[in-house]
């Protein structure tokens, strides 16, 4: 949606401070927000409250991390709501069918759910790459298919997961934080590892930075794209599992609202929609910004209706601060 | 005659083929009366998609339309008693302003429209929730009929909603094809840098395109509000994605410069035919969403013109 | 060693390569010259595997090969050093060097960054570039990027056992003189391992470096000369197909300008990062040419006149008055027309038809209250199609589908029909064939006769000299020297080059 200008050289002459600001702007916004809420209401800083923020944020974090890879490539994935629902529902069915408790073979439902996520992402990538349909449309339609599939499987019913071992994700706390926070942390590290230490991760940046050039260097861009969507699917599945773990229910609506939430978080974190810049840490900061706003406004007792508006304003502010205007000539 | 010649007509061909297939399987589909009702029912969606077309035509997107419509349903309901029919002016102005603000943020602050319109949508939603006091409001039937009863009448069997849609379509089409503004929109969508080098005021054109999108969304919201005789901050939910789908299926790609309002007419009809066809063909209610998604992929794969795309992102 | 035999390549409507024979021996440096559009770039693309020839054969050491993509050519030891823009700027230097070949540093799916950095350092040493391989490429200067490009190609040394053929496409266009010498030194050293094909516009450099020179014209190799026999004049004659004479640049039609009528006046104008303290006056009927290397500030000056850049110092007056709001709209309203270098991106709108493109800058003249009078637009387009002999089936043809020369005519028609009398030409003949170039030169003279002033950034120095009344030489954004280029008293190429670098 934006065209890179030709001022790279000029940028390297100076603007170092501007560069630094652009890089750290999202974190700055987060810290200012935390400081603001802490001053308004000291209870905001309690560990209990942080645990609350993190519990709410973990499923969205996983989904946002998944879509981060896609956005780095300069594409977009809007299929997360459908994928999350399908993964959640299939997981719940398998889990109950295999015994209904983690102590039995039912644990197999966990990896199976991740596999389902991978398959959905793979199909999404295939449709996008092989049929040459822009990812926006391909993934949007795949999202419909996913939500529809979940609806077909559940017939609109809710599936409850009451296994204590699985619900321990939420109920058991280590050092004041429930296990699901650590699980999300682990997958965040995995994502970071993929981003920095694997060929695939680096190739996302190459595709986002210059697809034609990457192709000219002998990179199989189609393959990178399909793998990217597959990987995103796996992270959506992790998000689905955490979402089920949080409320103990799997249903068609499990995936609701994740689409705009996760993309907002990614963008607020400083990953540019036109690709090539950003990463999973940016996304962590972005997700925290979104959830700190939500939680903070409740804690300091602001009416609910203001929340959306403030979020909207902060999203604009964060993006303006973290955009290097010198390097783009126009935006649509 | 090569495939190239037909390309611009792919959406039309898809529509006709769809109608024929559904009609062949279930002839009841061809009943004129039910068809008119069917089409009249989707007028608000169509109007929303019509506005969205302007944003997509210049290569952007407007994700705020649903929230603008929500806001307008509340505004219309709250102020109907006070201003009567002139509440329409306030509503339209609301939409125009929200759209213009999105456009300003996009062009002057370099925030991609995907984000800026999402954000202004949040702000509009806040406004709607505040104004409605987080309740579902309803209009007094009397005031509604006095000011806006004409919207839903019938003249010679033609629902007035259709007339409104037709007039708006004609205006949008005239704007797009016959005015300097429409020409400038096309230039911005197809080659923004060339438009700049030709001395066009590109920023103003872009801001206006978003403002128009908001304006049409407001009209859609107003019709909603009158139709359902009330306002609520969630009334128009679910329409955003359908409006986008209608524009894209019609053959206006996200890259801009191609397609236009006529395509959106086709796109909206395709979406509606698919949705209703599932009822006529007795697709199980739980299956509908999935079938819709699959057909959508097929329809998009058939209708989009790939010759103008360099790399597919 | 590497040979092309009677290679043919056709595109719709163009016979790009006509039975081209080409050989390069072990350790040889071969120059390749020709005008834009002579087929050099097509030939190079065939060599490095981006295009597949329609006829003829490609052989390496006598064995026939056929490359489906650049990757396969690389596997046969053929590498391409692109012009500076082909590095992915958001990646680190080492990632760019090994892009697509990361697998050698991967153990159990993990990239060993240390190992890659060491390997990259080894490659960078070959080109004497002492930078940290984990630097983000965007932070490098253009000259450094050019050397990284070369280092990237030199990874073939380790990867391929056989001989290497390395193509250098305009490698010196962004380099300063010392950097050019460094590069040439490197290339000569590396001939122990590789052969080079060197493509450049700078004839002196080609003759300096190459053992043999291929001269191309209209898709054919018209001559092959060895270093000993090479003469600049003779080669240039071959390239153009006849003497580069006064006629070619329509010098006989050059009339003196009107010094009393000033159209644009630059007084000590500076734009930080682009140029500083530039002054000149453009008069009616004058062609003023800005000469300098890439990055000397030529384009920025054009963009300033068009209102797209805001200078920090000095005054820019167009027709006697400075801009009030300084934007392109105002410039167009004052009668300034801009013919940008990137014709397909900035010149025409790809996707709009001929008449839509022609009236884009002047829609107000063809509209009443914002409603377009389309019939008049079409009439205008037909007039100009006839007048400039634009080859298009009708006025409804998408301009993106026209040939380069005809696109350029549409752009020129857009400004001339609107009555613009300050025309800014940025590389107006880039990528055009000879006939189209001559048409453009004719139009330049006609516009001058009509009293327009033209600021030109030319594609070649010869063009600059041939067309202009006044030449201003720039270097690194600073004024160097002003030459008078009246018909009959033109400066020589070497006068200019001396001040450029």
């Amino acid at each position: 949606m934006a065209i890179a200008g030709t001022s790279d050289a000029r940028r390297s002459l100076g603007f170092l401070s501007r560069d630094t600001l652009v890089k750290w702007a999202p974190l700055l916004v987060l810290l200012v927000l935390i400081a603001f809420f802490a001053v308004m209401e000291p209870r905001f800083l309690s560990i209990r409250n942080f645990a609350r923020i993190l519990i709410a944020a973990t499923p969205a974090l996983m989904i946002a991390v998944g879509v981060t890879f896609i956005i780095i490539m300069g594409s977009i994935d809007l299929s997360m709501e459908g994928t999350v629902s399908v993964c959640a529902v299939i997981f719940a069915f398998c889990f109950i069918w295999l015994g209904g408790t983690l102590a039995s073979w039912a644990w197999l439902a966990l990896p199976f759910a991740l596999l389902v996520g991978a398959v959905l992402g793979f199909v999404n990538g295939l449709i996008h790459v092989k049929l040459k349909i822009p990812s926006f449309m391909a993934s949007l339609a795949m999202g419909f298919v996913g939500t529809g599939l979940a609806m077909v499987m559940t017939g609109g019913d809710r599936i409850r997961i009451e296994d204590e071992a699985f619900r321990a994700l939420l109920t058991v706390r280590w050092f004041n934080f429930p296990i699901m926070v650590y699980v999300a942390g682990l997958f965040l590290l995995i994502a970071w590892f993929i981003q920095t230490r694997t060929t695939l991760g680096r190739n996302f940046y190459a595709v986002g930075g210059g697809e034609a050039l990457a192709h000219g260097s002998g990179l199989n861009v189609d393959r990178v794209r399909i793998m990217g969507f597959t990987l995103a699917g796996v992270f959506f599945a992790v998000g689905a599992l955490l979402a089920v773990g949080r409320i103990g229910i799997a249903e068609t609506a499990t995936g609701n609202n994740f689409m705009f939430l996760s993309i907002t978080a990614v963008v607020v974190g400083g990953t540019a929609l036109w690709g090539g810049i950003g990463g999973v840490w940016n996304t962590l900061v972005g997700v925290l910004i979104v959830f700190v706003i939500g939680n903070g406004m409740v804690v300091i007792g602001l009416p609910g209706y203001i929340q959306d508006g403030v979020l909207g304003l902060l999203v604009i502010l964060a993006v303006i601060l973290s955009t290097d205007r010198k390097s783009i000539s126009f935006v649509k | 005659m090569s495939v190239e010649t037909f390309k611009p007509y792919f959406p039309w061909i898809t529509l006709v083929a769809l109608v024929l297939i559904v009609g062949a399987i279930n002839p009841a589909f061809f009943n004129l009366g039910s068809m008119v009702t069917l089409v009249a029912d989707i007028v608000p969606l169509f109007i929303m998609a019509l506005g969205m077309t302007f944003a997509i035509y210049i290569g952007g997107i407007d994700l705020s339309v649903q929230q603008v419509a929500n806001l307008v349903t509340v505004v219309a309901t709250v102020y109907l008693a006070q201003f009567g029919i002139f509440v329409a002016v306030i509503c339209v102005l609301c939409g125009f302003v929200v759209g213009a603000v999105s456009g300003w943020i996009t062009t002057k602050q370099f925030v991609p429209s995907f984000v800026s319109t999402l954000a202004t949508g949040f702000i509009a939603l806040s406004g709607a929730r505040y104004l409605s006091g987080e309740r579902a409001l309803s209009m007094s039937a009397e005031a509604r009929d006095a000011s806006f009863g004409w919207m839903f009448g019938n003249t010679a069997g033609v629902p007035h909603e259709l007339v409104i849609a037709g007039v708006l379509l004609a205006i949008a089409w005239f704007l797009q094809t016959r005015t300097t503004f429409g020409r400038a929109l096309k230039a911005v969508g197809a080659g923004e840098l060339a438009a700049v080098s030709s001395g066009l005021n590109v920023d103003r054109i872009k801001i206006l395109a978003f403002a128009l999108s908001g304006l049409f969304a407001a009209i859609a919201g107003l019709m909603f509000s009158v139709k359902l005789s009330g306002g609520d901050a969630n009334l128009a939910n679910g329409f955003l994605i359908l409006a986008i789908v209608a524009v894209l299926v019609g053959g206006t790609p996200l890259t801009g410069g191609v397609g236009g309002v006529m395509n959106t007419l086709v796109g909206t009809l395709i979406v509606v035919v698919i949705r209703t066809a599932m009822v006529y063909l007795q697709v199980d209610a739980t299956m509908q969403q999935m079938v819709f998604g699959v057909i959508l992929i097929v329809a998009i794969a058939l209708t989009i013109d790939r010759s103008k795309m360099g790399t597919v992102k | 060693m590497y040979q092309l035999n009677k290679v043919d390549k056709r595109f719709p409507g163009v016979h790009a390569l006509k039975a081209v024979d080409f050989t390069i021996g072990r350790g040889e440096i071969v120059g390749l010259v020709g005008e834009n559009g002579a087929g050099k770039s097509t030939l190079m693309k065939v060599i490095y595997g981006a295009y597949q020839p329609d006829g003829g054969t490609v052989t390496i050491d006598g064995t026939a090969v056929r490359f489906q993509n650049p990757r396969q050519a690389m596997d046969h030891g053929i590498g391409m050093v692109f012009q500076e823009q082909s590095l992915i700027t958001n990646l680190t230097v080492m990632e760019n060097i090994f892009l697509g070949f990361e697998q050698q540093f991967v153990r159990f799916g993990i990239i060993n960054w240390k190992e890659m950095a060491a390997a990259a350092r080894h490659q960078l040493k070959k080109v004497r570039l002492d930078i940290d391989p984990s630097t983000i490429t965007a932070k490098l200067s253009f000259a450094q990027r050019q050397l990284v490009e070369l280092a990237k190609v030199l990874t073939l040394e380790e990867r391929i056992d056989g001989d290497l053929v390395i193509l250098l496409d305009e490698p010196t266009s962004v380099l300063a003189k010392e950097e050019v010498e460094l590069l040439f030194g490197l290339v000569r050293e590396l001939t122990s391992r590789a052969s080079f094909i060197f493509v450049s516009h700078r004839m002196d450099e080609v003759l300096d470096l190459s053992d043999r020179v291929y001269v191309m014209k209209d898709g054919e190799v018209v001559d092959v000369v060895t270093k000993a026999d090479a003469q600049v004049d003779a080669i240039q004659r071959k390239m153009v197909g006849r003497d580069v004479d006064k006629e070619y640049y329509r010098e006989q039609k050059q009339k003196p300008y009107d010094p009393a009528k000033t159209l644009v006046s630059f007084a000590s104008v500076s734009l930080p990062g682009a140029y500083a303290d530039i002054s000149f006056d453009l008069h009616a009927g004058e062609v003023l040419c800005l000469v300098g290397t890439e990055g000397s500030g030529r384009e920025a000056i054009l963009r300033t006149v068009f209102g797209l850049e805001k200078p920090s110092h000095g005054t820019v007056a167009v027709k006697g008055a400075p801009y009030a709001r300084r934007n392109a709209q105002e410039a167009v309203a004052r009668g300034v027309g801009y013919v940008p270098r990137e014709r397909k991106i900035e010149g025409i709108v790809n996707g709009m038809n001929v008449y839509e493109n022609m009236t884009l800058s002047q829609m107000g003249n063809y509209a009443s209250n914002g409603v377009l009078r389309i019939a008049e637009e079409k009439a205008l387009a037909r007039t100009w199609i006839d007048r400039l002999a634009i080859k298009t089936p009708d006025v409804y043809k998408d301009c993106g589908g026209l040939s380069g020369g005809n696109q350029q005519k549409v752009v020129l028609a857009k400004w001339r029909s609107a009555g613009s009398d300050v025309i800014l030409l940025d590389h107006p003949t880039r990528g055009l064939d000879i006939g189209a170039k001559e048409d453009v030169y004719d139009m330049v003279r006609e516009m001058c006769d009509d009293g327009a002033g033209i600021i030109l950034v030319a594609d070649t120095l010869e063009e600059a000299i041939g067309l202009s009344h006044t030449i201003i030489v720039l270097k690194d954004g600073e004024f160097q020297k002003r030459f008078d280029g009246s018909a009959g008293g033109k400066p020589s190429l070497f006068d200019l080059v001396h001040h450029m670098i």
Side-chain angles (χ1 to χ4, degrees):
Chain A
M1 289 187 185
I3 303 292
T6 50
S7 50
D8 287 348
R10 253 179 285 160
R11 188 172 36 168
S12 63
L13 297 176
F15 305 113
L16 195 72
S17 55
R18 171 80 200 161
D19 263 4
T20 321
L21 174 66
V22 163
K23 194 174 166 192
W24 295 102
L27 191 63
L28 215 65
V29 169
L30 178 62
L31 292 178
V32 168
L33 278 174
I34 291 176
F36 170 78
F37 287 124
V39 170
M40 295 297 287
E41 172 59 72
R43 270 186 307 155
F44 175 81
L45 272 184
S46 67
I47 291 192
R48 262 182 89 81
N49 192 45
F50 274 128
R52 208 175 292 137
I53 293 175
L54 290 178
I55 291 167
T58 47
L61 174 65
M62 290 297 99
I63 292 157
V65 164
V67 79
T68 302
F69 293 126
I70 307 297
I71 293 180
I72 287 173
M73 286 197 290
S75 297
I76 199 150
D77 190 342
L78 305 179
S79 69
M80 58 281 276
E81 295 189 356
T83 306
V84 166
S85 298
V86 172
C87 291
V89 168
I90 289 188
F91 163 75
F93 276 128
C94 286
F95 190 78
I96 289 167
W97 181 63
L98 288 169
T101 166
L102 277 187
S104 68
W105 283 106
W107 66 269
L108 278 172
L110 292 170
F112 186 68
L114 300 191
L115 184 69
V116 170
V119 169
L120 286 175
F122 182 72
V123 172
N124 192 4
L126 272 188
I127 290 175
H128 158 49
V129 169
K130 295 297 172 190
L131 293 181
K132 294 198 194 312
I133 298 178
S135 56
F136 188 100
M137 296 189 236
S139 61
L140 191 59
M142 269 304 284
F144 284 130
V145 173
T147 311
L149 196 62
M151 177 67 89
V152 171
M153 286 186 294
T154 60
D157 293 338
R158 299 173 149 200
I159 307 149
R160 286 180 193 282
I161 305 262
E162 276 148 0
D163 174 38
E164 275 178 28
F166 180 68
R167 293 307 308 279
L169 272 177
L170 179 71
T171 52
V172 175
R173 294 190 179 220
W174 298 334
F175 305 107
N176 297 316
F177 292 102
I179 296 177
M180 61 189 290
V181 172
Y182 296 95
V183 172
L186 175 70
F187 276 95
L188 186 68
L189 286 175
I190 293 175
W192 177 62
F193 179 81
I194 293 172
Q195 176 193 312
T196 54
R197 303 300 295 247
T198 67
T199 317
L200 182 66
R202 301 313 301 170
N203 286 348
F204 293 150
Y205 285 86
V207 171
E211 178 158 353
L213 303 174
H215 186 74
S217 294
L219 205 66
N220 187 342
V221 173
D222 285 355
R223 187 172 157 274
V224 172
R225 285 191 174 281
I226 294 176
M227 297 275 283
F229 280 92
T230 311
L231 186 65
V234 174
F235 276 92
F236 297 162
V238 176
L241 294 179
L242 293 180
V244 175
R246 190 161 81 94
I247 51 174
I249 292 170
E251 56 177 330
T252 313
T254 305
N256 281 9
N257 299 327
F258 278 122
M259 179 161 89
F260 288 128
L261 181 67
S262 57
I263 291 175
T264 305
V266 171
V267 173
V268 169
T271 299
L273 276 176
W274 48 86
I277 22 180
V280 296
W281 295 121
N282 292 76
T283 297
L284 174 66
V285 173
V287 170
L288 288 178
I289 289 177
V290 171
F291 280 88
V292 161
I293 294 171
N295 172 281
M297 285 196 288
V298 174
V299 170
I300 66 172
L302 280 180
Y305 58 80
I306 293 184
Q307 270 190 34
D308 300 301
V310 172
L311 180 61
L313 284 175
L314 283 169
V315 166
I316 296 172
L317 187 71
V319 174
I320 291 176
L321 284 178
S322 61
T323 304
D324 184 2
R325 297 169 177 226
K326 300 270 171 206
S327 68
I328 46 177
S329 54
F330 67 87
V331 161
K332 281 181 180 173
Chain B
M1 294 288 266
S2 65
V3 184
E4 291 297 316
T5 350
F6 287 116
K7 253 183 190 154
Y9 305 106
F10 276 178
W12 290 100
I13 297 169
T14 310
L15 175 63
V16 172
L18 267 174
V19 170
L20 289 179
I21 292 172
V22 178
I25 300 175
N26 188 345
F29 185 70
F30 283 130
N31 180 320
L32 189 67
S34 62
M35 261 190 169
V36 168
T37 329
L38 177 76
V39 173
D41 270 349
I42 49 112
V43 165
L45 170 68
F46 171 66
I47 293 173
M48 202 182 265
L50 210 52
M52 174 81 74
T53 313
F54 288 106
I56 296 185
Y57 195 55
I58 60 159
I61 196 160
D62 189 349
L63 302 180
S64 68
V65 289
Q66 174 180 308
Q67 311 298 9
V68 168
N70 280 331
L71 174 63
V72 164
T73 62
V74 175
V75 170
T77 311
V78 171
Y79 294 110
L80 177 67
Q82 204 173 339
F83 295 103
I85 192 162
F86 294 104
V87 81
V89 179
I90 302 174
C91 292
V92 165
L93 211 62
C94 261
F96 188 87
V97 168
V98 174
V101 168
S102 308
W104 182 82
I105 295 170
T106 301
T107 51
K108 302 290 188 186
Q109 301 301 321
F110 296 89
V111 177
S113 56
F114 192 99
V115 182
S116 66
T117 56
L118 190 60
T120 48
F122 282 139
I123 296 168
L125 176 62
S126 241
R129 287 175 64 182
Y130 167 71
L131 208 59
S132 68
E134 316 244 9
R135 286 174 294 120
L137 310 169
S138 57
M139 293 177 173
S140 88
E142 230 167 89
R144 179 187 85 138
D145 291 341
S147 299
F148 293 109
W150 52 272
M151 264 190 186
F152 294 97
N154 251 303
T155 305
V158 180
H160 289 174
E161 290 165 281
L162 277 189
V163 178
I164 295 172
V167 169
L168 287 174
L169 174 66
I171 293 174
W173 185 78
F174 183 79
L175 266 181
Q176 183 204 321
T177 57
R178 294 285 153 156
T179 65
T180 53
F181 172 66
R183 184 68 60 74
L185 283 182
K186 186 173 183 184
V188 171
E192 174 151 0
L193 290 171
V196 172
S197 302
S198 294
L200 297 187
N201 190 340
V202 169
D203 286 356
R204 196 174 66 195
I205 292 158
K206 285 186 349 190
I207 293 173
L208 262 177
F210 285 104
L212 271 183
S213 175
L215 188 150
F216 276 82
I219 297 176
L222 182 64
M223 289 190 76
F224 253 141
S225 181
V226 175
K227 196 170 182 175
L228 303 177
S229 193
D232 175 357
N234 303 310
L235 200 66
N237 282 6
F239 273 75
L240 168 64
I241 301 286
L242 279 180
I244 295 175
V245 166
V247 175
L248 297 183
V249 172
T252 306
L254 286 164
T255 41
V258 186
V261 294
M262 279 299 168
N263 292 71
T264 298
L265 173 65
V266 186
T268 315
L269 290 176
I270 291 179
V271 168
V272 172
V273 169
I274 296 175
R275 292 234 131 173
T276 6
M278 290 191 291
V279 179
Y280 274 95
L281 303 183
Q282 289 158 1
V283 176
D284 189 64
T286 55
M287 296 272 287
Q288 286 189 5
Q289 176 90 340
M290 190 174 71
V291 175
F292 181 66
V294 172
I295 296 178
L296 207 54
I297 292 173
V298 176
I300 292 172
L302 286 178
T303 53
I304 58 169
D305 180 358
R306 296 171 180 82
S307 61
K308 292 261 161 64
M309 286 187 235
T311 53
V312 181
K313 279 193 168 177
Chain C
M1 180 196 83
Y2 180 89
Q3 231 173 338
L4 300 176
N5 311 303
K6 301 258 176 285
V7 161
D8 242 52
K9 181 73 192 170
R10 284 170 191 276
F11 297 106
V14 190
H15 198 168
L17 293 179
K18 299 169 189 162
V20 170
D21 285 318
F22 185 94
T23 48
I24 183 164
R26 192 161 290 131
E28 203 180 15
I29 303 174
V30 171
L32 182 59
V33 298
E35 298 244 272
N36 285 318
K40 284 175 304 181
S41 55
T42 311
L43 180 63
M44 287 202 288
K45 283 179 173 163
V46 168
I47 294 174
Y48 77 83
Y51 288 163
Q52 287 73 48
D54 300 328
T57 55
V58 182
T59 59
I60 295 178
D61 294 328
T63 327
V65 288
R66 191 171 172 83
F67 308 132
Q68 294 306 323
N69 53 45
R71 181 80 179 230
Q72 290 179 5
M74 283 183 217
D75 294 340
H76 284 85
I78 296 164
M80 169 84 178
V81 179
F82 295 89
Q83 294 183 34
E84 88 281 353
Q85 277 106 348
S86 79
L87 296 175
I88 300 180
T89 50
N90 63 328
L91 299 185
T92 61
V93 168
M94 60 178 161
E95 283 179 276
N96 263 306
I97 291 177
F98 293 107
L99 186 65
F101 296 93
E102 301 93 345
Q103 220 46 43
Q104 53 187 314
F105 307 107
V106 175
R107 303 273 174 282
F108 309 110
I110 306 166
I111 300 176
N112 186 335
W113 286 120
K114 274 193 187 141
E115 203 179 303
M116 190 191 277
R121 239 175 250 119
H122 175 68
Q123 299 300 333
L124 291 172
K125 204 177 275 167
K126 290 182 194 170
V127 297
R128 311 260 162 73
L129 194 54
D130 185 26
I131 51 171
D132 182 352
S134 57
T135 315
I136 297 291
T137 310
K139 296 208 158 90
L140 301 185
S141 72
F142 285 125
Q144 286 174 319
R145 290 188 208 182
Q146 188 69 61
L147 290 173
V148 172
E149 287 272 359
L150 183 59
K152 176 176 176 172
V153 169
L154 289 176
T155 58
L156 284 172
E157 264 197 279
E158 281 81 28
R159 214 155 52 223
I160 306 294
D161 288 331
D163 299 298
L164 302 182
V165 177
I166 294 173
L167 295 97
L168 303 168
D169 181 16
E170 299 280 355
T172 58
S173 58
V174 293
L175 302 187
K177 202 167 170 56
E178 315 82 70
E179 292 164 333
V180 171
E181 271 160 23
L182 172 78
L183 178 72
F184 283 9
L186 272 172
V187 168
R188 287 198 188 95
E189 274 174 42
L190 289 165
T191 49
S192 58
R193 183 68 175 84
S195 322
F196 288 88
I197 300 171
F198 178 54
V199 178
S200 176
H201 270 109
R202 299 183 184 174
M203 195 62 69
D204 50 332
E205 289 177 0
V206 174
L207 294 185
D208 178 20
L209 189 65
S210 318
D211 301 318
R212 281 187 305 138
V213 178
Y214 280 79
V215 185
M216 290 192 75
K217 178 182 176 298
D218 296 338
E220 284 175 289
V221 172
V222 288
D223 200 6
V224 187
V225 288
T226 57
K227 190 170 195 161
D229 303 330
Q231 278 179 308
V232 174
D233 294 351
I235 292 178
Q236 266 169 354
R237 205 172 302 133
K238 285 267 167 46
M239 276 165 56
V240 182
R242 73 188 114 101
D243 288 312
V244 182
D245 57 10
K246 296 175 174 171
E247 187 133 331
Y248 183 54
Y249 294 112
R250 303 298 185 263
E251 212 176 307
Q252 78 283 11
K253 291 188 188 167
Q254 182 171 339
K255 294 176 194 146
Y257 58 85
D258 177 5
K261 202 176 165 199
T262 306
L263 294 174
V264 177
S265 158
F266 250 54
S268 306
V269 184
S270 300
L271 179 66
Y275 59 84
D277 198 20
I278 301 292
S279 303
F280 64 80
D281 284 325
L282 176 75
H283 307 91
E286 182 180 15
V287 178
L288 183 143
C289 191
L290 302 171
V291 167
T293 53
E294 200 81 24
S296 60
R298 303 171 304 184
E299 289 83 0
I301 292 176
L302 290 190
R303 295 175 66 81
T304 307
V305 178
F306 197 57
L308 293 173
E309 306 278 355
K310 296 188 201 321
S312 60
H313 296 93
T315 48
V316 180
V318 175
K319 298 192 185 152
Y323 288 132
R325 296 187 40 220
R326 183 164 295 288
N327 52 30
Q329 293 95 273
E330 196 182 353
V332 171
R334 296 267 186 101
V336 182
Y338 178 40
V339 179
R341 178 200 317 220
E342 300 290 340
R343 186 168 48 240
K344 286 186 158 87
I345 300 169
E346 292 188 78
I348 57 138
V349 179
N350 183 352
M352 283 172 69
N353 64 33
V354 177
Y355 72 82
E356 287 172 335
N357 264 296
M358 269 192 207
T359 57
L360 192 57
S361 63
Q362 46 166 336
M363 284 190 290
N365 298 340
Y366 295 88
S368 334
N369 302 320
V371 180
L372 288 161
R373 299 192 297 268
I374 293 176
E376 283 178 39
E377 290 185 88
K378 289 178 192 162
L380 169 93
R382 289 201 187 96
T383 311
W384 283 88
I385 287 172
D386 288 343
R387 196 161 152 192
L388 302 182
I390 300 172
K391 289 197 193 75
T392 172
D394 49 43
V395 295
Y396 304 105
K397 173 82 178 170
D398 179 355
C399 272
L402 298 179
S403 74
N406 287 309
Q407 287 178 344
Q408 197 67 302
K409 287 181 186 174
V410 171
V411 178
L412 283 163
K414 170 169 81 180
W415 297 117
R416 288 187 65 190
S417 63
S420 302
D421 53 3
V422 176
I423 306 287
L424 313 171
L425 301 176
D426 189 357
H427 293 80
T429 58
R430 166 156 293 197
L432 302 188
D433 60 31
I434 303 228
K437 276 185 190 174
E438 290 184 292
D439 286 345
V440 171
Y441 300 148
D442 272 329
M443 279 185 262
V444 167
R445 295 296 178 219
E446 275 171 39
M447 288 190 278
C448 284
D449 292 348
D450 292 347
I454 292 171
I455 304 181
L456 170 73
V457 174
D459 211 21
T460 62
L461 283 177
E462 290 85 348
E463 188 177 290
I465 297 166
L467 285 177
S468 52
H469 295 83
T470 310
I471 295 171
I472 290 175
V473 183
L474 302 164
K475 182 184 164 191
D476 300 332
E478 280 171 28
F479 172 81
Q480 297 296 309
K481 196 163 170 62
R482 179 192 168 96
F483 289 93
D484 180 50
S486 310
K490 300 214 176 244
S492 79
L493 224 127
F494 303 101
D495 294 336
L496 298 186
V497 173
H498 176 68
H499 292 280
M500 279 167 62
I501 44 182

